[in-house]
Amino acid sequence: MKSKVQRKKLQSMQRWILVLALLVLVLLIPARALAGPPSPLIPASEGAAEIAKLFYLVLAMALVVFVLVEGLLVYAIFRYRRREDGDEQPEQIHGNATLEIMWTIVPAIIMAVLFVLTLRTLQAMRNAPRDSYQIAVEGHQWFWIFRYGDTGVTTQNVLHLPADRPVEFTITSKDVIHSFWVPQLGGKMDAIPGHVNTTWFVPDKPGTYAGECAEFCGLQHYAMLFDVVVEPQDTFDAWIFHEIELSKQTICPGEEPCKNVPDVATVPEGNAANGQALYDSKGCKSCHSLDGSPLVGPTFRGFSQRAAGRTLGESAQQYVAHSILRPCDFLAPGFPNCVMPQTFGSTLHAQELSDLIAFLMQQ
Ligand code: CUA
């Protein structure tokens, strides 16, 4: 008889140990995610450091409350549990004015302190210094376009920043709501169509950081990643100067969309392999699949056959050039809105256009 009771006790203890182990595991998952880059808890800008400090403050307060409340709860459970012999009712208590006032006032004070500290940090992140470098951020389904001051330079899914200099971002969207976020640097500002939000930070360590979209914006939301390359000012200057020179040699610099589509007979011979690399790097693949699956835009599978008969008087190659440089002149069946960026004329060179045409004519 006795051994049966003991076995039961042992079983229930084992069950508790299992539950505890699972709980620890579940708690370890976020801890693991926050331990390495791109965690906001490994800040690389002053603003991000401020946010991390706030997080640790909230965590410390929550820990104190958690330990206190759970400690009292566990103590009460064990101290006043029902014993084996005798099942007499414990003393019943109703209300305690002092306690109730305390657990109303103490949380109110904690909330007020957090509110003031948060407001201060938010305010500081809103007002950029006057000499900030200006970058315009545009969210698209599902990629980012970055424009650098008045240089006319644009990049897609890669953001270059000078180190140790305040950068102000003006953030908007061309379709649905996205959210611009570089966990280690700051940001996390909504990109809203028809509205401009601003934020700023000073990246203080050169390096490459991961950026992402922090607002669910459709099926490819998870793929809306970008790299942030923080470089010393002179490296950044050299990069932007090189880009300015390059952008002057694009097919139609500064025009969105291209005014005149060049005659493909006059452009150089294309290389399909280079074209495939451009398909990967210029953001084409985020909207046009190669395997027939529909994304934001029509698939490229079977493209060469469709292209041949698309417009009267244009060869397939000419049609491809036309739809890359002036995408909104055509609407493919089943895709009633033109959402393709019209920036390719000012980011592609003649050789790159030919390479893309060569690649697409193989699909
Ligand atoms: Cu864009 Cu999520």
Side-chain angles (χ1 to χ4, degrees), residues 294-316:
L295 300 176
V296 166
T299 179
F300 281 154
R301 196 177 66 176
F303 182 81
S304 54
Q305 264 150 49
R306 292 199 305 276
R310 278 289 270 134
T311 49
L312 213 61
E314 267 188 349
S315 67

Side-chain angles (χ1 to χ4, degrees), residues 140 142 144 177-179 213-217 221 224:
H140 291 252
W142 287 284
W144 298 94
I177 298 178
H178 304 273
S179 180
C213 176
E215 179 84 42
F216 182 67
C217 54
H221 156 71
M224 236 178 120

Side-chain angles (χ1 to χ4, degrees), residues 153-164:
V153 172
T154 63
T155 56
Q156 246 182 61
N157 288 347
V158 181
L159 171 60
H160 286 254
L161 296 178
D164 294 319

